[in-house]
Amino acid sequence: MTTSLLTSPASALLVGALALLFTRGIAHKIILLGFPVLALILVFHAPTGSVTANYLGYALTPIRADALALLFGAVFALAAFLGALFALDRSSTLELSSALVYAAGALGVVFAGDWITLFVWWEIMAIASTLIVVCGGEKAYRPAFRYALVHFLGGVLLMAGIAGEIAMSGNTTITSLKPDSWPRWLILAGLLVNAGAPPFWAWVSDAYPASSWSGMVFLSVFTTKTAAYVLMRAFPGVEGLIWIGLVMAVYGIVYAALENDIRRLLAFVIVSQMGIKVAGVGIGTPLALNGVAAHSAAAVIYTALLVMVAGSVMRQTGKTRMSDLGSLAAAMPLTAFACMIGALAIAAFPLTSGFVSKSMIVDAAAKQHLPGVWIALLAVSAGVVLHAGLRLPWLVFFGAPKPRIAAGDPPQSMRIAMALAAVLCMVIGIVPDGLYVMLPHQVTYVPYTASHVLVQLQLLSFAALTFYLMRDLLKPQPGITLDLDWLYRRPGAWLACGFDDLTAGAWTRLVSGINSKAAWLHDLLVTHHGPTGTFGRTWPTGTMAFWTTFLLGAFLLIAALG
Amino acid sequence: MRDTRRTSKAPLTTLTGKDMRKAALVILIVLVLFDLVVKHHEVFGIDGTFGFVAWFGALACFCLILLALAVGSLLRAPESTYDD
Amino acid sequence: MNAVTAQLPALQVVIPLLGAIIAAFLRRGTLAWAWAALITALTPVIAFAQLHQVWTNDTISYRMGGWPPPIGIEYRVDLLNAFVLLLVSLVSTIMMPYARRSVAHEIDGDKQAWFYCMYLLGLAGLLGITITGDAFNAFVFLEISSLSTYVMIAMGRDRRALVASYQYLIIGTIGATLYVIGVGLLYLVTGSLNFADIGTRLAEASAAYPRPVLAGLAFLFVGISLKLALFPLHVWLPNAYAYAPSFATAFLAATATKVAIYLLLRIVFSVYGVAIDLNTLPVSTVLYPLSIAAMFIASILAVYETNLKRMLAYSSVAQIGYITLGIALMNQAGLTGSVVHLFNHALIKGALFLALGAIVYRAGTIKLDDLGGIGRTMPLTFAAFVFAGMSLMGVPGTAGFISKYYLIVGALDAGLWPIAFLIVASSLIALVYIGRAVEVAYFRPIASAPANAKDPPLMMLVPILVLTFASIYFGIDTELSAGVASRVAETLLGGLK
Amino acid sequence: MGGFENFFAHYNYVATIVLMVAGLYIVIARGNMIKKLIGLMLFQTSVYLLYIAPGKIIGGTPPILDANFTIYSNPLPHVLILTAIVVGVATIALGLAIVSRIHEAYGTIEEDEIIARDDQE
């Protein structure tokens, strides 16, 4: 058992993270690239079935390798490799080491067979990802802190839920649950915080853009997708998730359409894409779940690709605002090309990975006779042109020429990483069977029918037409769009200040209040005593002694009455 | 240096001209006409009708843009909003 | 060898007691420290031998001076106090290497020997309270430990230490006096001072004199509550902890309140519980609201506290709330949670206060606002603070989680799910106050005080790291902490009427 | 036995309670640190009485083992209270020492003035 725990992909990455801290130069780079590859190999050599252990008298299953776990494990290991390759030039050892720990956490969650193990890895992810945000530099400190707070809140909700669930059902294994008791609601809430669901979705667009050009690649891959994964395992077919997912999808599109900063825009895109997956989990049929699994796998790659593109632009030009960018295609041809592939994939254009995966979810809604959901998913698919599908590549790489920016394509390692990701997007789109065999449910699905292709082409081209006609209304403008985080960043802060004053005064007032009551009693009983209000003054020892007497009396009174 | 960039940019500017717009229009029309040939799996009645996806895609996008503009007019704020 | 083994209970107290007197004559600080460290190091050995004996055989009963109980004073070691003895002595031993530099930094050279004398007296007192089976003897040890504590607090550098010490003296003496009044009432109705013996006689006495028996409980309860800083009787604690020398704060936080809680457990379960149905006594009724108030009000006070020592002191009051909550639950899981939190909290707070002491040693301040960037200039120290802080919040995989886990299970077993919810909710507040320190330490520009600070010397660093490691380790291996605690809970509940 | 007789039959308890309450009252109501200590002393003294008084039996002799006397006072409370007195003396001595140090440091021993000064800092 011990050996299989040590050779689990997650533990391997933890070892790699540790090794990174103590190496320099070429060894450093080899470790950075080698351990994700090792993890990928280990995923495919994971012990079939499950490994069990014991903790606090509960049977734990640190490793459960079934089809779904293997798919996500492979994709995460692959993404860790791509991210590491992209970040090869990055000098922050803390960020790279945290990235490997973060990937380890994600793999740990994927292979966890019980809630307790899952939770430990979940928290490791939260800590490691916070550190990645922190590595974005001085301006990232406050967003990182808010990020940490939201994730700890999610963690606490999850912990309470898990504890309650175990206490009530005695079962630690992760199985499909119905939210019919408060612990299960808490678990669901904890998962949704990480999935970027309302009302806590603002952490994505708050923290991710604060990270470094390389850090956001890792961030975009793991947290939200593991949440989708656990939701698939624990809450398939919970109807409310459909509506939460659709709200997320629309929110992401609307905010991305208004956004000026390319990396914030991508953060909204991530939420929007998550929305489609969450809705798919809510539909819950085998086809829908297959769709969610496939779409998560595809999304990991194309989102990472788009984030890499944004990272390259940020690194090469030092700018992230679209109002400062434009016509970069000539200067950064390969980056522009990668961006277009990513855009096509996210728009689910035929022959890309997005097409072969997203259509499964949309079809599942149709097969399940959910017309409203189907229509909404179609609309959301059309809305993609408003963000990464068209708006982002248009404004950054083509669009109106801006004052010329002296920049070229990024260094070789970054170019290779983007090229690899772009190739993967196409390969999956052209030969989807490789992905389909790894899906958890046995469903035969043919993506390339004339009808499917035509629907998608019509949808996208006419949406693009609308966007083209109305493009001037969505010009990038400086500024931000207020989000739900306003609630805790503004009134929250005022409230905290007010509360501060309140509590500082409250104790004194409470004590003096009680003291003045006592003084009144005292005047009543011993009228000949000197100046009044002797009790009214706050004397800690006197007050303490008074409280002591009070408690003594209360105790006796309760005893006498009881 | 500057010259090479200018030359590499030239074809792009010509491509985004009138010709390209005409080509795009032709593609759009051809795509809709394909609906006469390809059979859709009709699920809800409306979705099999001629050109449904085309006009729906355009309309959905239009509505989303309107929604975005509404949200933008209500909630846009300067970037310095949270600087404390 | 056997002759020594038989005398272990007496040696447990006598060694530090005599050691204290000798320490006073060792005029040089370093010499006194070495002596105190040696003496302290002997105590866990004895404690461990006793725990081993109790675990494998049975309760140890030692007749002080050869007088048989209940006439003579009996030292009685069962699983509960063997556990507390080991905890107190072990934590003190781990902290001792830290003491030399910290004490030399904060206390004048000619007074250091006195400080170690007082420390050993305090240790002897705490061990004495724990080991004795005699109610009046416990009072004497209570006063020994208290008097030495007052002196230790008054040795703080700030003049406010004097006021804090004076206030604690007044309150502590009232507490001890209330305790001795309670013991007196019990003595009047049962004619005995031996805990076990009072327990066997109390049922009869309670039938004849119900009111003095109840009044006795009230006095004992309130007296001990003062000592363990049960909300709202905690007001002495923040100042005492804040202005005492750093080492004294860590020592007191880790041991003194824990021993008081032990005494409460002893009185409630081994004296009253064996004779009277506890449900008819108002212990739970009083403890529930006060514990919950402590968990929330003290935690919120901690959130808005800018002096880190006071912040942790308020946090201690809140954590004591958790422990008393477990006592109030009076079921297997709840009581296990209490006892295991007694253990875990000693480790956690020991680590946290030692880390603060190191910050005082290097940066010279513990005002939160002056400590910007301290996490980057004292990386190991503050990393320890963060990890111990995580344990304090109850992050899974840490010792603090184990405690809260048992408490939540206990609350659910008792059918009180709102309390389970409150436990989780109040943990969130701990997240806020630890988070505030983390924010300042890592996310703010480096301020002037921490700019030249660095991690403390190895002798100070190692105890911090050991205690931090322990507060994580006991979240993974729960054999010693939760294993013993659950057997303790079983024994305590098994004896109930 | 009526309430009145009951009262006087237990007059030693009445004295104990009066001392106890008076002592505690001084601690609560007085701001002068030395007066507080005096209150504390009174409070402790009440405990001595609580223990000693019931040990005395009317007509009993001192506890000396002798065949002629069978009724004697209980010696245990006296022993206990001797210890308690020592503890009490030590406490008061320490308290007075601290008060004198406080006087050196603050120039006053009125608790409210001291607290006001600390608050100003």
Side-chain angles (χ1 to χ4, degrees):
Chain A
M1 186 212 108
T2 329
T3 47
S4 53
L5 282 187
L6 286 178
T7 57
S8 88
S11 330
L13 282 177
L14 283 186
V15 174
L18 197 66
L20 270 189
L21 291 176
F22 298 103
T23 48
R24 293 282 176 277
I26 189 77
H28 187 78
K29 291 192 193 310
I30 289 172
I31 288 167
L32 181 59
L33 293 178
F35 271 87
V37 174
L38 178 66
L40 187 60
I41 295 168
L42 288 174
V43 166
F44 287 106
H45 288 83
T48 45
S50 43
V51 180
T52 50
N54 211 311
Y55 179 74
L56 283 180
Y58 292 113
L60 298 193
T61 318
I63 297 177
R64 175 179 65 176
D66 56 9
L68 188 59
L70 286 180
L71 171 64
F72 271 83
V75 171
F76 282 166
L78 189 64
F81 172 74
L82 288 175
L85 183 59
F86 186 73
L88 206 61
D89 264 8
R90 177 88 168 126
S91 58
S92 166
T93 307
L94 177 63
E95 181 183 299
L96 297 176
S97 188
S98 304
L100 290 195
V101 174
Y102 185 30
L107 283 168
V109 169
V110 164
F111 284 105
D114 67 278
W115 285 111
I116 297 171
T117 312
L118 178 137
F119 190 81
V120 173
W121 290 114
W122 194 266
E123 289 299 299
I124 288 175
M125 278 175 69
I127 295 165
S129 53
T130 306
L131 287 176
I132 293 179
V133 180
V134 168
C135 290
E138 199 102 349
K139 66 171 188 353
Y141 290 170
R142 299 199 77 83
F145 190 61
R146 288 192 291 268
Y147 176 88
L149 286 183
V150 170
H151 282 270
F152 278 116
L153 171 75
V156 169
L157 290 173
L158 191 61
M159 175 181 86
I162 290 172
E165 174 65 21
I166 293 173
M168 285 172 85
S169 71
N171 190 15
T172 52
T173 319
I174 302 171
T175 47
S176 150
L177 306 170
K178 287 270 162 274
D180 49 10
S181 63
W182 64 264
R184 292 176 179 180
W185 281 111
L186 288 176
I187 292 178
L188 184 58
L191 296 175
L192 284 175
V193 168
N194 269 27
F200 290 107
W201 52 30
W203 64 262
V204 185
S205 57
D206 184 23
Y208 284 8
S211 60
S212 72
W213 55 266
S214 54
M216 189 171 163
V217 179
F218 297 103
L219 293 170
S220 73
V221 171
F222 297 116
T223 300
T224 50
K225 271 72 174 183
T226 42
Y229 168 82
V230 184
L231 280 174
M232 276 176 77
R233 282 222 183 272
F235 295 101
V238 175
E239 206 193 327
L241 289 180
I242 298 177
W243 309 112
I244 292 176
L246 290 175
V247 169
M248 286 164 67
V250 172
Y251 155 84
I253 291 170
V254 167
Y255 273 69
L258 293 167
E259 187 50 55
N260 184 23
D261 183 294
I262 49 175
R263 289 167 15 111
R264 266 175 77 84
L265 183 149
L266 286 176
F268 291 124
V269 170
I270 290 171
V271 176
S272 177
Q273 293 288 307
M274 269 309 289
I276 294 172
K277 283 170 231 150
V278 170
V281 174
I283 296 170
T285 59
L287 179 61
L289 294 179
N290 267 354
V292 175
H295 197 48
S296 300
V300 163
I301 309 289
Y302 66 64
T303 315
L305 175 58
L306 287 167
V307 174
M308 284 183 202
V309 167
S312 299
V313 171
M314 177 184 175
R315 199 190 127 135
Q316 298 304 109
T317 67
K319 297 181 197 317
T320 57
R321 292 187 188 88
M322 290 195 287
S323 48
D324 302 339
L325 294 164
S327 304
L328 276 177
M332 302 174 75
L334 190 123
T335 313
F337 185 71
C339 183
M340 284 174 63
I341 300 283
L344 291 176
I346 202 169
F349 205 78
L351 297 182
T352 65
S353 57
F355 178 74
V356 301
S357 57
K358 196 204 272 177
S359 53
M360 291 172 93
I361 300 177
V362 180
D363 263 24
K367 291 238 164 68
Q368 201 60 9
H369 293 280
L370 298 166
V373 178
W374 182 77
I375 287 279
L377 283 173
L378 213 58
V380 167
S381 303
V384 169
V385 299
L386 295 183
H387 53 71
L390 193 53
R391 187 168 176 262
L392 174 80
W394 171 268
L395 290 169
V396 175
F397 293 102
F398 308 103
K402 289 278 156 48
R404 194 157 298 150
I405 300 157
D409 269 324
Q412 197 176 26
S413 57
M414 293 167 72
R415 292 208 303 270
I416 296 175
M418 286 193 286
L420 272 179
V423 168
L424 274 170
C425 287
M426 297 304 296
V427 168
I428 295 173
I430 296 167
V431 200
D433 293 342
L435 176 64
Y436 285 175
V437 294
M438 294 183 75
L439 294 179
H441 297 282
Q442 287 290 328
V443 177
T444 44
Y445 182 76
V446 186
Y448 288 110
T449 64
S451 165
H452 275 153
V453 173
L454 185 62
V455 163
Q456 197 60 21
L457 288 178
Q458 284 184 353
L459 189 71
L460 290 175
S461 51
F462 278 86
L465 175 68
T466 314
F467 173 73
Y468 180 73
L469 296 174
M470 299 176 79
R471 65 191 183 281
D472 286 347
L473 292 173
L474 290 174
K475 267 194 183 144
Q477 279 157 0
I480 54 167
T481 315
L482 294 179
D483 201 336
L484 288 176
D485 60 347
W486 185 84
L487 290 176
Y488 56 81
R489 289 174 72 172
R490 267 304 152 86
W494 298 329
L495 213 66
C497 289
F499 194 61
D500 199 356
D501 299 340
L502 202 74
T503 43
W507 178 249
T508 338
R509 258 180 277 137
L510 185 69
V511 169
S512 63
I514 286 165
N515 280 355
S516 63
K517 286 281 179 301
W520 168 79
L521 203 72
H522 161 256
D523 287 345
L524 204 73
L525 294 174
V526 200
T527 41
H528 64 267
H529 190 275
T532 53
T534 348
F535 280 175
R537 279 179 279 169
T538 316
W539 294 331
T541 34
T543 317
M544 280 292 303
F546 172 75
W547 273 108
T548 312
T549 328
F550 177 81
L551 193 63
L552 197 63
F555 195 103
L556 286 170
L557 202 65
I558 295 169
L561 293 175
Chain B
M1 184 74 193
R2 204 170 268 180
D3 289 343
T4 52
R5 196 166 286 160
R6 211 170 269 161
T7 47
S8 71
K9 213 168 155 197
L12 278 173
T13 39
T14 47
L15 266 176
T16 51
K18 242 181 197 170
D19 301 342
M20 205 163 161
R21 256 174 266 170
K22 269 183 198 159
L25 199 63
V26 171
I27 291 172
L28 288 177
I29 294 166
V30 169
L31 275 177
V32 178
L33 289 178
F34 259 110
D35 259 10
L36 298 170
V37 192
V38 175
K39 259 200 115 66
H40 292 291
H41 303 282
E42 202 170 316
V43 191
F44 306 117
I46 190 171
D47 53 319
T49 56
F50 177 76
F52 162 73
V53 181
W55 68 257
F56 179 76
L59 182 72
C61 196
F62 178 73
C63 293
L64 282 168
I65 291 176
L66 286 191
L67 182 62
L69 292 175
V71 169
S73 67
L74 284 174
L75 296 177
R76 274 315 261 185
E79 262 175 74
S80 57
T81 305
Y82 290 124
D83 293 349
D84 359 54
Chain C
M1 191 60 213
N2 247 347
V4 178
T5 321
Q7 304 297 331
L8 282 180
L11 290 174
Q12 182 85 78
V13 182
V14 168
I15 289 179
L17 201 59
L18 293 180
I21 297 166
I22 294 170
F25 289 103
L26 301 171
R27 304 303 304 163
R28 283 185 42 221
T30 311
L31 198 62
W33 165 77
W35 173 251
L38 177 73
I39 295 292
T40 311
L42 288 175
T43 53
V45 178
I46 300 171
F48 192 78
Q50 291 187 117
L51 180 63
H52 181 73
Q53 204 173 333
V54 173
W55 185 263
T56 50
N57 301 320
D58 202 10
T59 312
I60 302 170
S61 171
Y62 178 85
R63 297 164 179 193
M64 193 48 102
W67 293 89
I71 307 285
I73 292 171
E74 182 195 16
Y75 279 13
R76 196 179 169 84
V77 188
D78 61 10
L79 205 53
L80 172 61
N81 55 2
F83 185 59
V84 178
L85 285 173
L86 184 66
L87 171 71
V88 170
S89 55
L90 198 62
V91 172
S92 313
T93 308
I94 295 172
M95 285 179 176
M96 267 325 275
Y98 179 97
R100 190 172 75 90
R101 296 261 191 161
S102 179
V103 169
H105 178 245
E106 292 178 30
I107 293 172
D108 297 337
D110 58 329
K111 288 188 190 145
Q112 287 173 25
W114 288 113
F115 179 84
Y116 289 115
C117 167
M118 286 304 145
Y119 155 76
L120 282 176
L121 264 185
L123 182 65
L126 293 174
L127 294 172
I129 299 170
T130 316
I131 202 167
T132 186
D134 185 281
F136 198 85
N137 195 226
F139 161 73
V140 176
F141 280 123
L142 190 69
E143 284 293 33
I144 289 178
S145 74
S146 300
L147 285 168
S148 55
T149 306
Y150 309 146
V151 178
M152 279 197 275
I153 294 169
M155 281 179 158
R157 282 184 303 181
D158 199 302
R159 68 175 181 180
R160 276 173 287 191
L162 293 169
V163 183
S165 169
Y166 173 83
Q167 289 179 339
Y168 185 25
L169 181 135
I170 299 285
I171 298 309
T173 308
I174 291 176
T177 311
L178 291 179
Y179 171 81
V180 88
I181 292 170
V183 170
L185 289 172
L186 285 183
Y187 177 59
L188 289 179
V189 294
T190 63
S192 176
L193 287 169
N194 184 296
F195 283 132
D197 195 41
I198 298 174
T200 54
R201 297 179 187 207
L202 197 62
E204 201 185 318
S206 165
Y209 311 102
R211 273 192 276 176
V213 170
L214 269 182
L217 179 64
F219 279 103
L220 289 169
F221 180 88
V222 176
I224 298 170
S225 296
L226 274 171
K227 279 294 186 188
L228 62 81
L230 179 69
F231 184 89
L233 309 180
H234 68 280
V235 183
W236 59 268
L237 186 138
N239 278 337
Y241 280 15
Y243 302 119
S246 301
F247 173 72
T249 308
F251 171 68
L252 292 176
T255 58
T257 47
K258 310 298 174 287
V259 168
I261 289 165
Y262 155 78
L263 198 56
L264 185 68
L265 283 170
R266 182 61 83 205
I267 300 281
V268 170
F269 288 93
S270 307
V271 176
Y272 276 85
V274 294
I276 305 167
D277 181 6
L278 280 181
N279 291 320
T280 63
L281 297 175
V283 177
S284 289
T285 326
V286 174
L287 276 182
Y288 275 129
L290 296 185
S291 306
I292 289 165
M295 280 154 51
F296 281 90
I297 298 178
S299 296
I300 291 171
L301 287 169
V303 169
Y304 292 107
E305 188 53 64
T306 53
N307 178 319
L308 276 179
K309 265 190 176 179
R310 280 176 67 97
M311 181 189 98
L312 289 185
Y314 278 124
S315 151
S316 278
V317 176
Q319 301 295 318
I320 287 161
Y322 290 109
I323 300 177
T324 50
L325 183 68
I327 298 175
L329 286 168
M330 286 188 188
N331 57 21
Q332 172 70 29
L335 212 52
T336 307
S338 270
V339 178
V340 80
H341 199 46
L342 191 95
F343 180 83
N344 291 337
H345 183 237
L347 299 175
I348 296 169
K349 271 292 150 59
L352 287 172
F353 274 117
L354 286 187
L356 285 194
I359 291 173
V360 171
Y361 184 74
R362 284 299 194 204
T365 176
I366 40 160
K367 284 256 178 284
L368 192 58
D369 296 331
D370 301 341
L371 287 176
I374 188 91
R376 279 168 280 165
T377 55
M378 295 179 74
L380 284 172
T381 310
F382 214 83
F385 185 93
V386 171
F387 277 103
M390 276 163 52
S391 196
L392 188 70
M393 290 173 224
V395 174
T398 62
F401 171 73
I402 304 296
S403 326
K404 299 220 171 118
Y405 167 77
Y406 278 109
L407 287 175
I408 290 172
V409 172
L412 292 174
D413 282 352
L416 298 166
W417 65 265
I419 288 190
F421 176 77
L422 290 176
I423 293 170
V424 177
S426 61
S427 304
L428 271 180
I429 311 179
L431 166 66
V432 178
Y433 60 75
I434 295 292
R436 232 163 54 98
V438 169
E439 194 250 349
V440 170
Y442 289 108
F443 301 141
R444 282 204 196 158
I446 297 174
S448 64
N452 298 316
K454 54 178 194 252
D455 275 322
L458 215 56
M459 286 265 276
M460 288 175 78
L461 196 57
V462 169
I464 300 175
L465 296 181
V466 168
L467 284 177
T468 307
F469 176 76
S471 62
I472 302 291
Y473 176 80
F474 285 110
I476 298 162
D477 178 10
T478 59
E479 194 61 38
L480 178 61
S481 54
V484 176
S486 111
R487 254 186 72 178
V488 166
E490 223 168 87
T491 333
L492 287 181
L493 291 169
L496 289 189
K497 190 176 177 186
Chain D
M1 201 156 57
F4 194 69
E5 286 168 56
N6 198 10
F7 183 82
F8 279 103
H10 294 95
Y11 73 93
N12 55 317
Y13 291 112
V14 175
T16 306
I17 291 166
V18 167
L19 277 177
M20 200 179 280
V21 175
L24 205 54
Y25 176 79
I26 295 171
V27 176
I28 295 174
R30 289 289 150 187
N32 184 304
M33 287 181 157
I34 290 182
K35 286 185 181 169
K36 268 186 197 290
L37 283 174
I38 292 170
L40 204 61
M41 261 165 84
L42 272 181
F43 186 51
Q44 285 180 310
T45 310
S46 73
V47 180
Y48 309 159
L49 200 57
L50 176 76
Y51 273 73
I52 300 278
K56 168 70 181 164
I57 294 174
I58 295 167
T61 62
I64 298 166
L65 207 58
D66 189 308
N68 295 330
F69 303 108
T70 49
I71 301 172
Y72 53 88
S73 295
N74 186 352
L76 190 59
H78 296 79
V79 180
L80 297 178
I81 291 315
L82 274 176
T83 319
I85 289 172
V86 173
V87 169
V89 167
T91 310
I92 299 302
L94 179 61
L96 288 172
I98 293 174
V99 171
S100 80
R101 287 279 309 278
I102 289 176
H103 190 253
E104 283 171 24
Y106 288 85
T108 174
I109 53 167
E110 286 293 328
E111 203 179 359
D112 52 346
E113 285 176 26
I114 289 170
I115 288 169
R117 262 179 230 193
D118 280 341
D119 285 345
Q120 277 167 12
E121 278 174 18

